[in-house]
Amino acid sequence: MDIESKFADITRNLRGSAVRDLLKYADRPEVISFGGGMPNPLSFPLNEIKEIIDHILDNYGAKALQYSSTDGVEEFREEVSRRINSRYGFKSTKSDIIALNGSQTGLYMVSKVFLNKGDYVISEAPTYVGAITAFNAQAPVWAPVDLQDDGMNMEMLEESIKKVISQGKIPKFIYVIPTFQNPAGLTWSLDKRKHLLEIASKYDLIIFEDDPYGELRFDGKEIKPIKSLDTEGRVIYMGTFSKVLSPGIRLGFIYANSDINKKINLLKQGVDLCTSTFSQYIAAEYLKRGIIDRQIPKIVQLYRKKRDIMIEALETYMPSDTKFTRPDGGMFLWVTLNEKIDTEKMLKKALEFNVAYVIGSAFYPDGRGRNSMRLNFTFSKDEDIVEGIKRLSRAVKEYQP
Amino acid sequence: MDIESKFADITRNLRGSAVRDLLKYADRPEVISFGGGMPNPLSFPLNEIKEIIDHILDNYGAKALQYSSTDGVEEFREEVSRRINSRYGFKSTKSDIIALNGSQTGLYMVSKVFLNKGDYVISEAPTYVGAITAFNAQAPVWAPVDLQDDGMNMEMLEESIKKVISQGKIPKFIYVIPTFQNPAGLTWSLDKRKHLLEIASKYDLIIFEDDPYGELRFDGKEIKPIKSLDTEGRVIYMGTFSKVLSPGIRLGFIYANSDINKKINLLKQGVDLCTSTFSQYIAAEYLKRGIIDRQIPKIVQLYRKKRDIMIEALETYMPSDTKFTRPDGGMFLWVTLNEKIDTEKMLKKALEFNVAYVIGSAFYPDGRGRNSMRLNFTFSKDEDIVEGIKRLSRAVKEYQP
């Protein structure tokens, strides 16, 4: 059978990456992997989930196992709306919320709603690799804007927008992860958040704010989501239960204005019909009972310590010309090595030493970041973090360009 | 904000249908709705699910709540492979299976993998409305082929294929629901299944076999899926747990050859990253313990009776020129009324009488089927089926063209 000729143009070009193939080795038990983006298993409130499920099956019974409406279960949307309003000063109602099978599908659907082939999308550089994968399914043109310690380089952003407009196009949206960014671990200042909104308003642009880590602040003063400053309905806010409850139940949500939500919802009928009813009842109960407010401090304590251990190990063992970010929260930090080092080439060596990471270029739609890498500090055991960084430093020292 | 200009061309044209809006009235408690496609709540093995979940949380713990690989949890894929091999004589291994967040997302992803805008897709006429929604997100050209009592009109199919080829294109795939078809309730004969494979082989085409209802046979001799006759790897087989366990846990699967699976899996990384780990463990255990084999006869008994009640009520109360199918299984039957009747226009009248259905034209990509309707017989209570058909017959009798 001639299968190649039958694929759509976009999917014909989908290829598994060599790096992903290499990372399969990271599953071996002897490898300490900083490569994944997994929450620590200790962060899951296992006993509380048991109690909640008993309650749901006893009280909702078959209803929790039935189809639910495409936009989500009423109880879930109500609890989410209540939560984000009280946490962030949002003014949502339950009908502004759409339940998602995890925020990955939100990335996919928002890109599908807005992007024709060849349309421009602006992102931070580096940006989340999963967003690159999702958006690329629509074959857009990327306009990545450098991320600084306090947010995007705003001059570069405005230049970039002007350049797109001068070509007779508009950037379809600006995708940002402003708090504890993935992969950089950086957080936008309040000033830059306001500035971004001003620019979006000036050029009539949409902002897609992805906020998976906002609840996981270890230090410093909270900075509200961009959405909380949005008076014109131009911010699509996306949250998830993957980092504060469980990623395995696949549950996220979007809060956006009704014109946008209507389109997402119509698309969602075709993409997945509805989100797990069962997962939505679990999360609704998790919020309703206030377990989330008892659980988050535990997760924060667990992760803060792991971040500190990783930073100390990096300072102790890595070559002195190594730079890295010091995140106030989230799950990742970003390491920049001597510019002679290509982290993709080095990965094989690292795996020989039984340590893994994600190469920096995976986070740049334009392939930059070759001497950098993303390290996850939440998944590994404390002692493995130290040992893993030791191994990493050996790989760096033995690396031959 | 000018939002319309920002939508992608395909999504700009997505509109909520007037019929869907009307069907919101069907949620009122006084309405007897044959409109939905929901399993009966009594079909869910609630106690067994409770036991399974206890077992999973006690034995797998955090693993059941963690991310899992894009193609699915090993235990799930293994149990599914074992099941379909023993049920249908397939020769699958666990690596041939991809877990899905419900089969709707399988419809979406397969269409996204194969269809460029303007590509041809062949389907039965009528066909599943959810497939129309999913495929239309890629803006294909539909080539619907009339469904007869024993399967597609094969002459029309071959003509249709030749016509597409004469335009320098190939039909990207042939989408069929050969067993207890949705919406028609009809089942393809073994002869036509073989014939379809021959034609597919002759023109080197892919068959997309959707089999959500195959386990729900009330009468007659089992006819194996088309996939069981497939020696050339050209059939994509899709199954679901929505009708034999629970639709609310969102779980389906695809069994296809590795070239196709690879593409689906690469796309799935962007579309939803992974399928609910928790749901996969539940289904794996449901299969492993053999509960499915005790549950299906109960579901079949429940639904057979409901089908019989609906058929008897249709015979008793509907005008004598009414035709309808007599399904050997599944969830739906298809009613064809006097050709003067437009079921879309009649729906308002039916809702005044507090009864609902899905209009026939919803199942035709080309808008035919105006004097027909789909009735679901699995969801309503026995007495409501009789009362609902009485109301429907009143609506038909009072209908003014």
Side-chain angles (χ1 to χ4, degrees):
Chain A
M1 185 173 52
D2 171 23
I3 185 72
E4 283 296 313
S5 69
K6 293 180 182 61
F7 292 133
D9 298 338
I10 290 175
T11 41
R12 187 173 308 122
N13 299 322
L14 283 179
R15 298 260 173 263
S17 76
V19 172
R20 194 177 265 267
D21 289 345
L22 260 187
L23 277 177
K24 280 178 190 159
Y25 295 103
D27 286 342
R28 288 177 300 157
E30 62 270 28
V31 174
I32 295 173
S33 179
F34 304 130
M38 288 197 281
N40 197 289
L42 296 174
S43 74
F44 305 147
L46 209 52
N47 290 326
E48 288 83 351
I49 288 175
K50 270 189 198 177
E51 281 170 31
I52 286 173
I53 289 176
D54 280 346
H55 172 83
I56 289 168
L57 290 176
D58 289 342
N59 286 270
Y60 295 97
K63 205 179 160 191
L65 301 171
Q66 189 57 278
Y67 286 110
S68 49
S69 68
T70 303
D71 43 15
V73 170
E74 202 158 317
E75 286 87 340
F76 172 74
R77 298 163 81 200
E78 189 158 339
E79 288 299 331
V80 166
S81 168
R82 197 184 316 235
R83 169 89 189 166
I84 58 179
N85 289 356
S86 76
R87 277 290 280 115
Y88 306 126
F90 292 170
K91 290 176 185 68
S92 68
T93 65
K94 66 182 173 192
S95 57
D96 301 323
I97 309 296
I98 295 182
L100 302 172
N101 279 318
S103 57
Q104 183 68 40
T105 201
L107 292 170
Y108 181 83
M109 289 198 293
V110 168
S111 72
K112 176 83 184 170
V113 160
F114 289 107
L115 300 176
N116 291 318
K117 190 180 168 185
D119 274 352
Y120 282 83
V121 55
I122 292 177
S123 74
E124 296 155 302
T127 188
Y128 172 49
V129 59
I132 297 177
T133 311
F135 300 175
N136 275 349
Q138 327 318 332
V141 180
W142 288 84
V145 175
D146 282 358
L147 187 61
Q148 301 171 316
D149 283 353
D150 60 347
M152 264 183 188
N153 179 327
M154 302 308 276
E155 290 72 40
M156 200 183 278
L157 169 65
E158 205 161 353
E159 254 171 55
S160 182
I161 293 169
K162 282 181 187 164
K163 202 173 146 193
V164 174
I165 290 174
S166 76
Q167 291 167 30
K169 303 274 272 179
I170 47 162
K172 284 301 185 77
F173 56 82
I174 305 172
Y175 172 69
V176 290
I177 311 158
T179 307
F180 318 133
Q181 204 248 11
N182 181 356
L186 298 169
T187 295
W188 289 48
S189 67
L190 182 60
D191 275 356
K192 283 216 170 163
R193 290 172 195 232
K194 286 180 183 165
H195 196 173
L196 180 67
L197 265 173
E198 284 163 19
I199 289 178
S201 184
K202 182 174 168 187
Y203 295 98
D204 190 26
L205 303 177
I206 289 169
I207 297 168
F208 184 10
E209 178 178 32
D210 188 5
D211 189 21
Y213 317 107
E215 297 270 18
L216 305 179
R217 176 173 284 280
F218 316 149
D219 311 305
K221 208 173 142 266
E222 177 161 299
I223 305 172
K224 292 269 166 70
I226 298 168
K227 182 70 184 168
S228 70
L229 309 164
D230 174 28
T231 54
E232 303 175 324
R234 59 176 71 256
V235 179
I236 302 170
Y237 179 85
M238 184 161 73
T240 174
F241 286 87
S242 289
K243 322 308 185 207
V244 296
L245 174 56
S246 149
I249 65 167
R250 307 310 295 135
L251 192 60
F253 63 90
I254 272 178
Y255 162 41
N257 87 38
S258 63
D259 291 333
I260 296 171
N261 272 2
K262 255 180 227 158
K263 286 291 181 200
I264 295 173
N265 209 36
L266 284 166
L267 178 66
K268 186 169 157 62
Q269 288 170 17
V271 170
D272 59 28
L273 198 61
C274 70
T275 297
S276 168
T277 316
F278 199 54
S279 297
Q280 291 182 69
Y281 275 110
I282 292 173
E285 203 63 27
Y286 181 63
L287 294 174
K288 199 171 170 186
R289 295 179 177 207
I291 304 172
I292 189 169
D293 291 319
R294 299 194 291 279
Q295 191 64 18
I296 286 174
K298 292 181 200 167
I299 303 174
V300 163
Q301 199 182 8
L302 181 73
Y303 289 177
R304 184 195 288 120
K305 190 178 170 200
K306 289 182 185 296
R307 176 206 57 182
D308 291 344
I309 291 171
M310 185 172 276
I311 285 179
E312 201 190 319
L314 286 167
E315 283 170 342
T316 308
Y317 300 107
M318 292 293 275
S320 59
D321 59 353
T322 307
K323 287 175 201 153
F324 53 89
T325 58
R326 289 153 200 270
D328 286 332
M331 300 175 60
F332 306 101
L333 57 78
W334 182 253
V335 178
T336 308
L337 299 168
N338 184 294
E339 60 185 18
K340 286 180 191 149
I341 295 178
D342 182 324
T343 54
E344 181 166 355
K345 287 184 189 152
M346 194 179 77
L347 185 56
K348 219 181 140 193
K349 173 69 67 187
L351 286 166
E352 282 169 26
F353 284 110
N354 289 325
V355 63
Y357 53 82
V358 186
I359 61 169
S361 59
F363 302 94
Y364 285 88
D366 52 8
R368 282 182 288 161
R370 300 196 73 81
N371 62 326
S372 54
M373 62 175 69
R374 187 191 74 175
L375 299 183
N376 167 273
F377 54 78
T378 62
F379 185 71
S380 300
K381 290 187 186 123
D382 295 356
E383 58 275 23
D384 285 349
I385 295 176
V386 179
E387 176 59 27
I389 298 296
K390 277 188 198 172
R391 294 177 188 176
L392 189 63
S393 71
R394 264 177 253 144
V396 171
K397 281 161 198 163
E398 294 204 8
Y399 173 80
Q400 306 285 357
Chain B
M1 185 172 53
D2 172 22
I3 185 71
E4 282 296 314
S5 69
K6 293 180 182 62
F7 291 132
D9 298 337
I10 289 175
T11 41
R12 188 175 306 123
N13 298 324
L14 284 178
R15 299 260 174 261
S17 75
V19 172
R20 195 176 262 268
D21 290 346
L22 260 187
L23 277 177
K24 281 179 190 159
Y25 295 103
D27 285 341
R28 287 176 302 157
E30 64 270 30
V31 173
I32 295 173
S33 180
F34 304 129
M38 288 197 281
N40 196 288
L42 295 174
S43 75
F44 306 146
L46 209 52
N47 290 326
E48 288 84 351
I49 289 176
K50 269 189 200 178
E51 279 169 31
I52 286 173
I53 289 176
D54 279 347
H55 172 83
I56 289 170
L57 290 175
D58 289 343
N59 287 271
Y60 296 96
K63 206 180 159 192
L65 301 170
Q66 188 58 278
Y67 286 110
S68 49
S69 69
T70 303
D71 43 16
V73 170
E74 202 158 319
E75 287 87 340
F76 172 74
R77 298 164 80 201
E78 189 157 339
E79 289 298 332
V80 166
S81 168
R82 195 183 317 235
R83 169 89 189 164
I84 58 180
N85 289 356
S86 75
R87 276 291 278 115
Y88 306 125
F90 293 170
K91 290 175 185 68
S92 68
T93 66
K94 66 182 174 192
S95 58
D96 301 322
I97 309 294
I98 296 182
L100 302 171
N101 280 316
S103 57
Q104 183 68 41
T105 201
L107 292 170
Y108 180 82
M109 289 196 294
V110 169
S111 71
K112 176 83 184 170
V113 160
F114 290 106
L115 299 175
N116 291 318
K117 189 179 168 186
D119 274 352
Y120 283 82
V121 55
I122 292 177
S123 74
E124 297 154 301
T127 188
Y128 172 49
V129 60
I132 298 178
T133 311
F135 300 175
N136 274 348
Q138 327 318 334
V141 180
W142 288 83
V145 176
D146 282 358
L147 186 61
Q148 299 171 319
D149 282 353
D150 60 347
M152 264 183 188
N153 180 326
M154 303 308 277
E155 290 71 41
M156 200 183 277
L157 170 66
E158 205 161 352
E159 255 171 55
S160 182
I161 293 170
K162 283 180 187 164
K163 203 173 145 191
V164 174
I165 290 175
S166 76
Q167 292 167 29
K169 305 272 273 179
I170 47 161
K172 286 300 186 76
F173 57 82
I174 305 172
Y175 171 70
V176 289
I177 312 158
T179 309
F180 317 134
Q181 203 248 14
N182 181 358
L186 297 169
T187 295
W188 287 49
S189 67
L190 181 62
D191 275 355
K192 284 216 170 164
R193 289 172 196 231
K194 287 178 183 166
H195 196 173
L196 179 67
L197 266 172
E198 285 162 19
I199 290 179
S201 184
K202 179 173 172 188
Y203 296 98
D204 190 25
L205 302 178
I206 290 169
I207 298 169
F208 184 10
E209 178 178 31
D210 189 5
D211 189 21
Y213 317 107
E215 297 271 19
L216 305 179
R217 177 173 284 280
F218 316 150
D219 311 306
K221 207 173 143 266
E222 177 160 299
I223 306 172
K224 292 271 166 70
I226 297 169
K227 181 70 182 169
S228 70
L229 310 165
D230 174 29
T231 55
E232 303 176 322
R234 58 177 72 257
V235 179
I236 303 170
Y237 179 85
M238 184 161 72
T240 174
F241 286 87
S242 289
K243 321 310 186 207
V244 294
L245 175 57
S246 146
I249 65 167
R250 308 309 296 132
L251 191 60
F253 62 90
I254 271 178
Y255 162 41
N257 86 38
S258 63
D259 291 333
I260 296 171
N261 272 3
K262 256 181 225 156
K263 286 293 180 197
I264 295 173
N265 209 35
L266 284 166
L267 178 66
K268 185 168 158 64
Q269 288 170 16
V271 170
D272 59 29
L273 198 60
C274 70
T275 296
S276 169
T277 316
F278 199 54
S279 297
Q280 290 181 71
Y281 276 110
I282 293 173
E285 203 62 28
Y286 181 64
L287 294 173
K288 199 171 170 185
R289 296 180 176 207
I291 304 172
I292 188 168
D293 290 318
R294 298 195 290 279
Q295 192 64 20
I296 286 175
K298 292 181 201 167
I299 303 174
V300 163
Q301 199 181 10
L302 182 72
Y303 290 178
R304 184 195 289 119
K305 188 176 172 200
K306 288 182 187 295
R307 177 207 56 180
D308 291 343
I309 291 171
M310 185 173 277
I311 286 180
E312 199 190 323
L314 287 166
E315 282 169 342
T316 309
Y317 300 107
M318 293 292 275
S320 58
D321 59 353
T322 307
K323 288 177 199 146
F324 53 89
T325 59
R326 289 154 199 268
D328 285 332
M331 299 174 62
F332 306 102
L333 58 78
W334 182 253
V335 178
T336 308
L337 299 168
N338 183 295
E339 61 184 18
K340 286 182 189 146
I341 294 178
D342 181 324
T343 55
E344 180 165 355
K345 284 186 191 151
M346 194 180 76
L347 184 56
K348 219 181 140 193
K349 173 69 66 185
L351 286 166
E352 281 169 26
F353 283 112
N354 289 325
V355 65
Y357 55 81
V358 185
I359 61 170
S361 59
F363 302 94
Y364 284 89
D366 52 7
R368 284 181 288 160
R370 300 196 73 81
N371 61 327
S372 54
M373 62 174 72
R374 187 192 74 177
L375 299 184
N376 167 274
F377 54 78
T378 62
F379 185 72
S380 300
K381 292 188 185 121
D382 294 356
E383 60 273 24
D384 285 349
I385 295 176
V386 179
E387 175 59 27
I389 298 296
K390 277 189 199 173
R391 293 178 189 175
L392 188 63
S393 71
R394 265 177 251 144
V396 171
K397 281 160 198 163
E398 292 205 9
Y399 172 80
Q400 306 284 353

